[in-house]
Amino acid sequence: MGKSSRLKMAKNTNIRISLPAVCFVWQIAMIILFGVFIRYDEESDTHWIEHRRKKNISTNLENDFYYRYPSFQDVHVMIFVGFGFLMTFLKRYSFGGVGFNFLIAAFGIQWALLMQGWFHHLDEHDWKIKIGVENLINADFCVASCLIAYGACLGKVSPVQLMVLTLFGVTLFAVEEYIILELLHAKDAGGSMVIHTFGAYYGLTISWVLYRPLLSQSKHLQGSVYHSDVFAMIGTLFLWMYWPSFNSAIADHGDGQHRAVINTYLALASSVLTTFAISSISQNNGKLDMVHIQNATLAGGVAMGTASEFMITPYGSLIVGFCSGIVSTFGYLFLTPFMEKTLKIQDTCGIHNLHAMPGVIGGIVGAITAASASESVYGQEGLINTFDFKDAVANRTVNIQGGYQAAALFVAIAFGLVGGALVGGILKLPIWGDPADVNCFDDDVYWEVIVFFFFLNELKKKEPANFTS
Amino acid sequence: MGKSSRLKMAKNTNIRISLPAVCFVWQIAMIILFGVFIRYDEESDTHWIEHRRKKNISTNLENDFYYRYPSFQDVHVMIFVGFGFLMTFLKRYSFGGVGFNFLIAAFGIQWALLMQGWFHHLDEHDWKIKIGVENLINADFCVASCLIAYGACLGKVSPVQLMVLTLFGVTLFAVEEYIILELLHAKDAGGSMVIHTFGAYYGLTISWVLYRPLLSQSKHLQGSVYHSDVFAMIGTLFLWMYWPSFNSAIADHGDGQHRAVINTYLALASSVLTTFAISSISQNNGKLDMVHIQNATLAGGVAMGTASEFMITPYGSLIVGFCSGIVSTFGYLFLTPFMEKTLKIQDTCGIHNLHAMPGVIGGIVGAITAASASESVYGQEGLINTFDFKDAVANRTVNIQGGYQAAALFVAIAFGLVGGALVGGILKLPIWGDPADVNCFDDDVYWEVIVFFFFLNELKKKEPANFTS
Amino acid sequence: MGKSSRLKMAKNTNIRISLPAVCFVWQIAMIILFGVFIRYDEESDTHWIEHRRKKNISTNLENDFYYRYPSFQDVHVMIFVGFGFLMTFLKRYSFGGVGFNFLIAAFGIQWALLMQGWFHHLDEHDWKIKIGVENLINADFCVASCLIAYGACLGKVSPVQLMVLTLFGVTLFAVEEYIILELLHAKDAGGSMVIHTFGAYYGLTISWVLYRPLLSQSKHLQGSVYHSDVFAMIGTLFLWMYWPSFNSAIADHGDGQHRAVINTYLALASSVLTTFAISSISQNNGKLDMVHIQNATLAGGVAMGTASEFMITPYGSLIVGFCSGIVSTFGYLFLTPFMEKTLKIQDTCGIHNLHAMPGVIGGIVGAITAASASESVYGQEGLINTFDFKDAVANRTVNIQGGYQAAALFVAIAFGLVGGALVGGILKLPIWGDPADVNCFDDDVYWEVIVFFFFLNELKKKEPANFTS
């Protein structure tokens, strides 16, 4: 125990000043900035009734709330329970997985409302940001990219570092999103590029900068136990089930949302089967690996993010899921070990396999599908509506749109890599209370944990005779 | 250990070829068949805007998506988290419970879209199946019957067998559903007959064919531990809470969906109380049994499946829940042991008590309620709308409808029994990699499981002095 | 073991007669009362189609079902999974936490439909209560107050006592709600006062009456283990995520629901950050305490209950969450121990910190926000709509409204205190089968629990050599 204690002392993981300071100061900053900038939009303001009359809107149901609220709640569950519980799989880092996910998401959504508001929704007349349910969805989306990045760093960073990662992550996201959606006018309803590709490369680069050569010292904690794997399945399933809502939440009213749901539903189903297949084929006796089932089954949802609104056809969706399930599972089998050994990238949750590669696939699929869109398939109006070919881009052709989609993918990757290197450098400063290599993946560093009191107590109470029952 | 190893060797549970082969080949077949047959319907196609204009539909909200999507997502949660987690109750088969449920549901929904499409939605002009959100709900419904059947076989079959069970189960379901809903024109919005009765008898007959005389060899694994019972409660509660959505998901727009929710909500509440009552009265000191609470509390939802749309009245719903909770709990107490001993039916999850009996009750309740419907209660138009007395059945009376409802129940049972015997025979072939009797209920056969590494490690690390804390 | 056995004998916890009797008799009473009083309303009755024509309603979507059903399902999840799993945190009382929550909620919603119906929805013509989806939401709300009260008594009462607590709790709730909403015409969409303040003081007073001086005898069970804390996080997160639905479920159609969601979303996010801050600052090395994270993060939702519909502004919501997170966490740190020691109130879940104080904050915030409402902010129509200034209260000013809001808060507290004292006295009778002090927090008293069979078995099976792996 002596050696372990000394190593524990080697790094100062005391966050009693830094964490409360960051939480308080940033939250107060949020209050001030919200006071200056954020207001209700015309659909959530009491003047809605006058707005309705002016615009001749016949029913309250036309309030965007009723189009989007069910999807919003599903996305909300994905962010907090989906991502949170997916990260409980480590045997002694379940508190950190679900708890820090909770903390940074709660901060990130506030900061995202501001950042995205400034870039996309700033009212030119009064310089206010007017928010409604669509802004809440977009804020959840934005935070998702930071939670993905957290996946690469899980167990190796302090909550203060995570707050910093989120602060910059949301900022970078808003700029990248502005370039991709507004300047390039690319489509990305479910965020294959904007959310997944960016988030994954952002996290992987940070993890690369923060490389820990002696991480094997905490190897005994870098795995799951039986019940932690079942907890993680809660996260997997809520992500999997609600992914159709994720990819359709901000799609066009009517057929847009409807089609995005069908495409995503099918892609996800398909990737489950290929994940099981590759997982089984790779092990003795065909035994399945929970890591694959928990993660690669979701690849279809990631890869369907960009094209979900398009007329990719139902069998096209199945093919996307088919391929991404295979690629993702192979990633867990071969790429993750290779990256750790050769590229010095330690990727705790394997986000490269679940988000980076399927995200890139999604971007490419989106570019190809857009480039091959035609009036004969979409209808004249349908084509214009789906790609928003109006105003400044009224004359854009589908081929050019395909090119812009491809460009958008590179923007997402570039923002991830450059942003990650930058933020990684900041996080390397020795002031954030990160754990020593030997203390990684251990909740005991940042949480009050009563280890095994109960189990030992129960064992103690039993009389020897009972052991044979 | 020697004897155990020998027994383990006795059966070849290697699925390294068969499982990947089944997953790949069937998924590729799905892609081809989807390519040939499946297209978006007019509400999920980009031509929706033209369709709207042609049909003079004033708002996007009239897209069926907005009527049914929230219910669809609830049903989706029931299928994957509800059924999945309900089957995690076994102490060492939680991976198999939730994991294989995931696999076969993901396959089944694809196959169901095709099978149900061919029978119900084939466009006569172009021989395509046009899908929308209602098809997704129906596919989930169809798969539910196979997941119910899985409940009887839990822990005793290989994933390859489960895929076969699902392939034939979905096929049988589509035929049975066609006969009941189209030919007999019976009503069954929540599927008491079509889903629950059929699924349960299908699974029970399979289990009877696959009878394992030496199953007691794995008796030490055929139970729960404390936390696996809490995991199972996640499944129970998500099934219980969302059952009103299940029974209303494809009910008529407007009052139909509304009434189905109220009836199901009440029946479920009532069966909780009688389940607790019977569970308590049956044990020393009135101690409750988690098996009853996890299962019989749901009986009210099953039994309200057929009549949920009808004017059964709120107190009628309470009575249905009251009776089915009692019947179901008594089933767990007396019928399951009797069936195992005398009828040689080993029913791991007790689906006879949760699905078969309440399903039959539901069918009977539906027949009686239909036969006693009247214009004075329903209103003239209401009666026609509720029972769809138009076109070919425009002159049907409620008495005759009651008769057809009863006939439908027999069709469901017959399909379950005959289909189960057939499929059971196929599954008996010694090629599917099923476990030996001694290895049943053990995840170790099909999953990479690291047993107890952590717990032992922790124990090891503790110094003796700490044991007394 | 001898002494423990003797203590166990000291109290009769046999509920084999009483629990089934209560469940059966009360459920039968429900059926009879429902038969006499409860009918479908015009939106869930088959006459809806005639009602539509008469009222010239253009679409089925105007059925209230489509406005409120998604929110209803979210609230339903909060009641059964949210409250249920939040109470699984105790190491050996997870069955009781989630199971008894299930039982009393299932009974309570039935009784609430009657009680609230008699007070609010009794049809003057035929003396029937006509129910629809809004009644279901209100029944869930009503039950929430009893589940809050359960939180104070968790582990220390028998299920029979809980049924009595719920019977009277629902009754008191309906009266209190009638006074506050109808007589005082106060607004309380999310129930800061009606639900949280009343429920908390009701439970705390009961716990005070049932004070157990020797509760420390079961101290070894009055805490969590690692995985029970993760289970509790399921409850926390589902409460947190769906709280916007809770506060908006019965708000006005259109901007009312929309605004309530935004306000609650923001208040909750804000209270997460201050909870983490105070939790960290209060412990050595800044280690976080799971009790705080599981509970105080929700304070923002409670405190936003009354003002959620008002134009409190987005930054106003952040401030409310900011303060209530701090107050709630300080409560766990200092008030709970003080209350137990000095005031003799044993509050298992700390409901005083999560519901009483934030509820009172919510009531005060509501009163102030109402009193400071103005036509310039709300618009003339908006002000009337938001506060329902019509009919009998058409001439009420916002200042007077503020006064009535404050009066409502006192009514809620008074009903909690007086009702709790009364019901506490009833529950003190020695006939309810409550556990002895030494047997508190132990599922073994009311549940069939197989303790540790599996773990010991596994240990036994291992050969010594394996222990060193």
Side-chain angles (χ1 to χ4, degrees):
Chain A
M1 197 159 173
K3 193 190 160 201
S4 160
S5 303
R6 276 201 310 278
L7 281 165
K8 219 165 195 160
M9 294 298 104
K11 274 213 167 187
N12 182 5
T13 60
N14 190 331
I15 50 169
R16 196 171 174 180
I17 305 300
S18 54
L19 184 61
V22 163
C23 288
F24 268 126
V25 173
W26 294 7
Q27 185 59 56
I28 291 169
M30 289 302 115
I31 293 173
I32 295 169
L33 290 168
F34 269 60
V36 176
F37 287 104
I38 306 246
R39 297 292 178 271
Y40 304 116
D41 71 9
E42 68 269 10
E43 302 192 303
S44 57
D45 190 285
T46 42
H47 291 86
W48 159 250
I49 190 163
E50 296 162 25
H51 177 80
R52 260 185 69 184
R53 198 178 307 120
K54 212 183 322 175
K55 300 263 171 153
N56 207 13
I57 297 168
S58 64
T59 162
N60 275 320
L61 283 164
E62 288 291 342
N63 193 308
D64 198 37
F65 181 78
Y66 299 101
Y67 283 95
R68 306 214 181 272
Y69 189 63
S71 312
F72 159 68
Q73 273 295 5
D74 295 348
V75 172
H76 216 41
V77 172
M78 293 174 72
I79 298 298
F80 290 90
V81 160
F83 282 104
F85 270 84
L86 191 58
M87 294 200 269
T88 59
F89 75 99
L90 288 171
K91 64 181 76 157
R92 294 304 286 179
Y93 208 75
S94 301
F95 290 4
V98 68
F100 296 151
N101 182 83
F102 193 17
L103 171 66
I104 64 176
F107 164 67
I109 52 179
Q110 298 177 55
W111 181 226
L113 284 171
L114 283 163
M115 279 302 302
Q116 295 183 312
W118 285 322
F119 275 98
H120 297 277
H121 299 285
L122 202 59
D123 190 318
E124 289 177 352
H125 301 297
D126 59 3
W127 298 100
K128 304 291 182 206
I129 301 161
K130 310 286 172 61
I131 62 170
V133 67
E134 194 169 338
N135 300 71
L136 306 189
I137 297 172
N138 276 313
D140 275 21
F141 276 4
C142 176
V143 158
S145 67
C146 299
L147 304 180
I148 291 165
Y150 178 26
C153 312
L154 183 69
K156 303 176 295 181
V157 289
S158 76
V160 184
Q161 284 179 305
L162 287 171
M163 291 291 282
V164 175
L165 178 154
T166 306
L167 179 77
F168 287 104
V170 167
T171 310
L172 289 161
F173 181 97
V175 180
E176 167 234 24
E177 186 192 35
Y178 179 73
I179 295 172
I180 290 176
L181 301 188
E182 307 277 328
L183 301 188
L184 300 181
H185 192 77
K187 304 292 288 180
D188 198 14
S192 289
M193 305 181 287
V194 173
I195 300 167
H196 297 286
T197 305
F198 162 72
Y201 284 108
Y202 179 60
L204 289 167
T205 315
I206 290 174
S207 192
W208 174 72
V209 175
L210 300 180
Y211 181 68
R212 292 170 172 272
L214 300 176
L215 192 59
S216 62
Q217 289 182 342
S218 55
K219 203 181 174 178
H220 63 291
L221 290 175
Q222 205 179 351
S224 62
V225 284
Y226 195 71
H227 280 169
S228 72
D229 267 326
V230 183
F231 278 120
M233 278 305 286
I234 298 174
T236 300
L237 288 174
F238 274 101
L239 286 171
W240 194 91
M241 297 178 304
Y242 286 155
W243 215 296
S245 295
F246 193 92
N247 285 351
S248 70
I250 56 163
D252 288 343
H253 289 179
D255 63 292
Q257 289 193 290
H258 203 152
R259 192 167 52 255
V261 162
I262 294 173
N263 289 334
T264 311
Y265 175 94
L266 292 174
L268 285 162
S270 182
S271 59
V272 172
L273 269 88
T274 50
T275 299
F276 270 82
I278 303 291
S279 185
S280 176
I281 216 168
S282 67
Q283 309 272 351
N284 278 334
N285 287 312
K287 289 191 182 187
L288 297 157
D289 188 330
M290 266 307 223
V291 172
H292 306 156
I293 309 308
Q294 284 160 7
N295 292 281
T297 51
L298 301 166
V302 176
M304 191 44 75
T306 302
S308 62
E309 276 187 296
F310 301 163
M311 293 286 283
I312 190 169
T313 73
Y315 72 92
S317 304
L318 288 181
I319 293 172
V320 170
F322 189 92
C323 299
S324 53
I326 294 173
V327 168
S328 185
T329 317
F330 271 121
Y332 280 97
L333 286 166
F334 304 113
L335 263 179
T336 302
F338 168 82
M339 282 168 61
E340 175 149 4
K341 219 170 170 183
T342 315
L343 303 182
K344 310 291 181 204
I345 301 172
Q346 291 154 333
D347 179 6
T348 313
C349 294
I351 61 165
H352 186 262
N353 315 308
L354 174 48
H355 297 280
M357 290 193 297
V360 170
I361 291 175
I364 296 170
V365 167
I368 295 172
T369 320
S372 58
S374 68
E375 274 191 19
S376 66
V377 172
Y378 284 73
Q380 198 190 340
E381 278 176 289
L383 194 66
I384 292 169
N385 283 343
T386 306
F387 293 99
D388 280 321
F389 286 154
K390 44 195 163 190
D391 304 330
V393 292
N395 297 319
R396 191 182 275 191
T397 67
V398 290
N399 283 322
I400 294 173
Q401 179 69 23
Y404 278 106
Q405 295 284 142
L409 183 58
F410 285 101
V411 172
I413 295 173
F415 262 80
L417 294 176
V418 176
L422 203 92
V423 175
I426 296 168
L427 295 181
K428 232 181 150 60
L429 299 175
I431 57 172
W432 308 113
D434 55 313
D437 292 349
V438 72
N439 294 328
C440 283
F441 313 115
D442 190 351
D443 270 337
D444 198 39
V445 180
Y446 302 115
W447 298 86
E448 298 282 339
V449 181
I450 305 147
V451 181
F452 256 60
F453 171 88
F454 171 65
F455 289 101
L456 296 175
N457 208 40
E458 284 291 317
L459 282 172
K460 210 182 57 189
K461 273 163 49 181
K462 294 283 156 192
E463 293 168 44
N466 287 0
F467 273 84
T468 56
S469 68
Chain B
M1 198 162 172
K3 193 191 159 201
S4 160
S5 304
R6 276 201 309 279
L7 281 166
K8 219 166 196 160
M9 294 298 103
K11 273 212 167 187
N12 182 5
T13 60
N14 190 330
I15 51 169
R16 194 170 175 182
I17 305 299
S18 55
L19 183 61
V22 163
C23 288
F24 269 125
V25 174
W26 293 8
Q27 184 59 55
I28 291 168
M30 288 302 116
I31 292 172
I32 295 169
L33 290 168
F34 268 60
V36 176
F37 286 105
I38 305 242
R39 297 293 177 272
Y40 304 115
D41 71 8
E42 68 269 8
E43 301 192 303
S44 57
D45 190 284
T46 43
H47 291 85
W48 159 250
I49 190 164
E50 295 162 26
H51 177 80
R52 261 185 69 185
R53 198 179 307 122
K54 211 183 325 174
K55 300 263 171 152
N56 208 13
I57 297 167
S58 63
T59 161
N60 275 320
L61 283 163
E62 288 291 343
N63 194 308
D64 198 36
F65 181 78
Y66 299 101
Y67 283 95
R68 305 216 183 270
Y69 189 64
S71 312
F72 160 68
Q73 273 296 5
D74 296 349
V75 172
H76 215 42
V77 172
M78 292 174 75
I79 298 298
F80 290 90
V81 160
F83 281 103
F85 270 83
L86 191 58
M87 293 199 270
T88 58
F89 75 98
L90 287 171
K91 65 182 75 157
R92 293 304 286 181
Y93 209 75
S94 301
F95 290 3
V98 69
F100 296 152
N101 182 82
F102 193 17
L103 171 66
I104 64 176
F107 164 68
I109 51 178
Q110 299 177 54
W111 181 226
L113 284 171
L114 283 163
M115 281 301 303
Q116 294 183 312
W118 286 322
F119 277 96
H120 296 277
H121 299 285
L122 202 60
D123 190 318
E124 289 176 352
H125 303 296
D126 59 3
W127 297 99
K128 304 292 183 205
I129 301 158
K130 311 287 172 60
I131 62 171
V133 67
E134 193 169 338
N135 300 72
L136 305 189
I137 297 171
N138 275 313
D140 274 22
F141 276 4
C142 176
V143 158
S145 67
C146 298
L147 303 181
I148 292 164
Y150 178 27
C153 311
L154 183 70
K156 303 175 295 180
V157 291
S158 77
V160 184
Q161 285 179 306
L162 287 172
M163 290 292 282
V164 176
L165 179 152
T166 306
L167 179 76
F168 288 104
V170 168
T171 311
L172 289 161
F173 180 96
V175 180
E176 166 234 25
E177 187 192 34
Y178 179 73
I179 296 171
I180 290 176
L181 301 188
E182 308 278 328
L183 301 188
L184 300 181
H185 192 76
K187 303 293 287 180
D188 198 13
S192 290
M193 305 181 287
V194 173
I195 300 168
H196 296 286
T197 305
F198 162 72
Y201 285 108
Y202 179 61
L204 289 167
T205 315
I206 290 174
S207 191
W208 173 72
V209 176
L210 300 180
Y211 180 68
R212 291 168 173 273
L214 300 175
L215 192 59
S216 62
Q217 289 181 344
S218 55
K219 203 180 174 179
H220 62 291
L221 290 174
Q222 206 181 349
S224 62
V225 284
Y226 196 70
H227 281 168
S228 72
D229 267 327
V230 182
F231 278 120
M233 278 304 286
I234 297 174
T236 300
L237 288 175
F238 274 101
L239 287 171
W240 195 90
M241 296 179 305
Y242 285 156
W243 216 295
S245 295
F246 193 92
N247 284 351
S248 70
I250 56 164
D252 288 343
H253 290 178
D255 63 293
Q257 289 194 290
H258 203 151
R259 191 166 54 255
V261 162
I262 294 172
N263 289 334
T264 311
Y265 174 95
L266 292 173
L268 285 163
S270 182
S271 59
V272 172
L273 270 87
T274 50
T275 299
F276 271 83
I278 303 293
S279 184
S280 175
I281 216 168
S282 67
Q283 309 273 352
N284 277 335
N285 286 312
K287 289 191 183 188
L288 297 156
D289 188 331
M290 264 308 220
V291 172
H292 307 156
I293 309 308
Q294 284 159 8
N295 291 281
T297 49
L298 301 165
V302 176
M304 190 44 75
T306 302
S308 62
E309 278 187 296
F310 302 162
M311 294 285 284
I312 191 169
T313 71
Y315 73 91
S317 304
L318 289 181
I319 293 171
V320 170
F322 188 92
C323 299
S324 53
I326 294 173
V327 168
S328 185
T329 316
F330 271 121
Y332 280 96
L333 285 166
F334 304 113
L335 263 179
T336 302
F338 168 82
M339 283 169 60
E340 177 150 3
K341 217 170 171 184
T342 315
L343 304 181
K344 310 291 180 203
I345 300 172
Q346 292 154 333
D347 179 6
T348 314
C349 296
I351 62 164
H352 187 262
N353 314 310
L354 174 49
H355 298 281
M357 290 193 297
V360 170
I361 292 175
I364 296 170
V365 168
I368 296 172
T369 321
S372 57
S374 68
E375 274 191 19
S376 65
V377 171
Y378 284 73
Q380 198 189 341
E381 279 175 288
L383 195 65
I384 293 170
N385 283 343
T386 305
F387 293 99
D388 280 320
F389 286 154
K390 45 193 163 192
D391 305 330
V393 293
N395 297 317
R396 192 181 274 191
T397 66
V398 291
N399 284 321
I400 294 175
Q401 179 68 25
Y404 278 105
Q405 295 284 142
L409 182 58
F410 285 100
V411 172
I413 295 172
F415 261 81
L417 294 176
V418 176
L422 204 91
V423 176
I426 295 168
L427 295 181
K428 231 179 149 63
L429 298 175
I431 57 171
W432 306 114
D434 56 311
D437 292 349
V438 73
N439 295 327
C440 284
F441 314 115
D442 191 350
D443 270 335
D444 197 39
V445 181
Y446 302 116
W447 298 85
E448 297 282 339
V449 182
I450 305 147
V451 182
F452 256 59
F453 172 88
F454 172 63
F455 289 101
L456 296 177
N457 209 40
E458 285 290 318
L459 282 172
K460 208 183 58 191
K461 273 165 48 183
K462 295 280 159 193
E463 293 169 44
N466 288 359
F467 274 84
T468 55
S469 67
Chain C
M1 199 160 171
K3 193 192 161 199
S4 161
S5 304
R6 277 201 309 279
L7 281 165
K8 219 165 196 161
M9 294 298 104
K11 273 213 166 185
N12 181 6
T13 60
N14 190 330
I15 51 170
R16 195 172 175 180
I17 304 300
S18 55
L19 182 61
V22 164
C23 288
F24 269 125
V25 173
W26 292 7
Q27 184 60 54
I28 291 168
M30 289 302 116
I31 292 172
I32 296 169
L33 290 169
F34 268 60
V36 177
F37 287 105
I38 305 243
R39 297 294 179 270
Y40 304 116
D41 71 9
E42 69 268 10
E43 302 192 303
S44 58
D45 190 285
T46 43
H47 292 85
W48 160 249
I49 188 163
E50 296 162 26
H51 177 79
R52 260 185 69 185
R53 197 179 309 121
K54 212 182 325 174
K55 300 264 171 151
N56 207 13
I57 297 168
S58 64
T59 163
N60 274 319
L61 284 164
E62 288 291 342
N63 193 308
D64 199 36
F65 180 78
Y66 298 102
Y67 284 96
R68 306 216 182 270
Y69 189 63
S71 312
F72 159 68
Q73 273 296 5
D74 296 348
V75 171
H76 216 40
V77 172
M78 292 173 73
I79 298 298
F80 290 89
V81 160
F83 281 105
F85 271 83
L86 191 58
M87 293 199 269
T88 59
F89 75 99
L90 288 170
K91 66 181 75 158
R92 294 304 287 178
Y93 209 74
S94 301
F95 290 4
V98 68
F100 296 151
N101 183 82
F102 193 17
L103 171 66
I104 63 175
F107 165 67
I109 52 179
Q110 298 178 55
W111 181 226
L113 283 171
L114 283 163
M115 281 301 303
Q116 294 183 312
W118 285 321
F119 276 97
H120 296 278
H121 299 283
L122 203 59
D123 190 318
E124 288 178 352
H125 303 297
D126 59 3
W127 297 100
K128 303 293 181 205
I129 300 159
K130 310 287 173 60
I131 62 170
V133 66
E134 193 169 339
N135 300 71
L136 306 189
I137 296 171
N138 275 313
D140 274 22
F141 276 4
C142 175
V143 158
S145 68
C146 298
L147 303 181
I148 291 164
Y150 178 26
C153 311
L154 184 69
K156 302 175 297 180
V157 290
S158 77
V160 184
Q161 285 178 305
L162 287 172
M163 290 292 281
V164 176
L165 178 153
T166 306
L167 179 77
F168 287 104
V170 168
T171 311
L172 289 161
F173 180 97
V175 180
E176 166 233 25
E177 186 192 35
Y178 178 73
I179 295 172
I180 289 176
L181 302 188
E182 308 278 328
L183 301 189
L184 300 181
H185 192 77
K187 303 292 288 179
D188 198 13
S192 289
M193 305 181 288
V194 173
I195 301 168
H196 297 285
T197 305
F198 162 73
Y201 285 108
Y202 179 60
L204 290 167
T205 315
I206 289 174
S207 191
W208 173 73
V209 175
L210 300 180
Y211 180 67
R212 291 169 173 271
L214 300 176
L215 193 59
S216 61
Q217 288 182 344
S218 56
K219 203 181 175 179
H220 63 291
L221 290 175
Q222 205 180 349
S224 61
V225 283
Y226 195 70
H227 280 168
S228 72
D229 267 326
V230 183
F231 277 120
M233 277 305 286
I234 298 174
T236 300
L237 288 175
F238 274 100
L239 287 170
W240 194 90
M241 297 178 304
Y242 285 155
W243 216 294
S245 295
F246 194 92
N247 284 352
S248 69
I250 57 164
D252 287 344
H253 290 178
D255 63 292
Q257 288 194 291
H258 203 151
R259 192 166 53 254
V261 162
I262 294 173
N263 290 333
T264 311
Y265 175 95
L266 292 174
L268 285 163
S270 182
S271 59
V272 172
L273 270 88
T274 50
T275 299
F276 271 81
I278 304 293
S279 185
S280 176
I281 216 168
S282 68
Q283 308 273 351
N284 277 335
N285 287 311
K287 288 191 183 187
L288 298 155
D289 188 330
M290 265 308 223
V291 172
H292 306 157
I293 308 307
Q294 284 160 8
N295 292 282
T297 50
L298 300 165
V302 175
M304 190 44 74
T306 301
S308 63
E309 277 187 296
F310 301 163
M311 294 286 283
I312 192 169
T313 73
Y315 72 90
S317 303
L318 288 182
I319 293 172
V320 170
F322 189 91
C323 299
S324 52
I326 293 173
V327 168
S328 185
T329 316
F330 271 122
Y332 280 96
L333 286 165
F334 304 113
L335 263 179
T336 302
F338 168 81
M339 283 167 60
E340 177 149 3
K341 217 170 172 182
T342 315
L343 304 181
K344 309 292 179 203
I345 300 173
Q346 292 154 332
D347 178 5
T348 313
C349 294
I351 62 165
H352 186 262
N353 315 309
L354 173 49
H355 297 282
M357 290 193 297
V360 170
I361 292 175
I364 295 169
V365 167
I368 295 171
T369 320
S372 58
S374 68
E375 273 191 20
S376 65
V377 171
Y378 284 73
Q380 198 189 339
E381 279 176 287
L383 194 66
I384 292 170
N385 283 343
T386 305
F387 293 99
D388 279 320
F389 286 154
K390 45 195 162 191
D391 304 330
V393 293
N395 297 318
R396 190 183 277 193
T397 66
V398 291
N399 283 322
I400 294 174
Q401 178 67 24
Y404 277 105
Q405 294 285 142
L409 182 59
F410 285 102
V411 172
I413 295 172
F415 261 80
L417 295 175
V418 176
L422 203 91
V423 175
I426 295 169
L427 294 181
K428 233 181 148 62
L429 298 175
I431 57 171
W432 307 114
D434 55 312
D437 292 349
V438 73
N439 295 327
C440 283
F441 314 115
D442 191 350
D443 269 336
D444 198 39
V445 180
Y446 301 116
W447 298 85
E448 297 283 338
V449 182
I450 305 146
V451 182
F452 255 59
F453 171 88
F454 172 64
F455 289 101
L456 297 176
N457 208 40
E458 284 290 319
L459 282 172
K460 210 182 58 189
K461 274 164 46 181
K462 295 282 158 194
E463 293 168 46
N466 287 359
F467 273 85
T468 56
S469 67

